[in-house]
Amino acid sequence: MSVLCCHLPDFVLELSRRQEPRSAERAGPLLLLDAEERVCALSPEARRAGLRRGMPAREARRRCPEARLRPLDGPAGQAGQAAFLAELGQWELPVEELGWGAAYLDLAAVAARPEEAQPLAAELGRRLRTELGLAPALGWDSGKFTARAAALSSRPGHMRLVGRAQEAAFLA
């Protein structure tokens, strides 16, 4: 296998900020709530305040009274996700959606080694920055688990390629 994991950190939060730019200018913790009134996305300020995904809105409000709570705009999120997946689909390789702003891209047909995957990952990163205005965190490996761990440990705009020989050390 040859798997590229593409992760757009804070994807739905960024989409929400684009929908309401004036609201984005205000500093402080921001939370997006799902239909069950649970936190489904949160700003870095909210994370630093100790708030977490899945937390009920009532508890979040109690823990951080200054937090702004807004409902998730489902249609805008779905449109953004569709645009993201369409960009990944440009190469006509298998894509597996992981959730908001995250997916695996199967590179087995075009790249088997890190040095073959690197230029493809760099190109994908450039395309996502240009077309969506978002910088992905990318991870590559021969398996999904390590590719995802590599993406989640990368900063936006960076990639981490893990070869078979480095898997154990990386995961440790």
Side-chain angles (χ1 to χ4, degrees), residues 22-34:
R22 286 192 184 133
S23 175
E25 293 170 3
R26 292 181 23 208
L30 173 62
L31 305 172
L32 297 181
L33 304 175
D34 63 17

Side-chain angles (χ1 to χ4, degrees), residues 128-166:
L128 290 173
R129 283 189 300 278
T130 301
E131 298 300 321
L132 303 180
L134 298 169
L138 300 168
W140 178 88
D141 186 51
S142 61
K144 291 178 183 178
F145 181 83
T146 307
R148 185 173 186 193
L152 293 175
S153 68
S154 296
R155 295 184 330 224
H158 291 84
M159 69 178 90
R160 177 167 284 165
L161 289 83
V162 181
R164 284 192 193 271
Q166 296 88 28

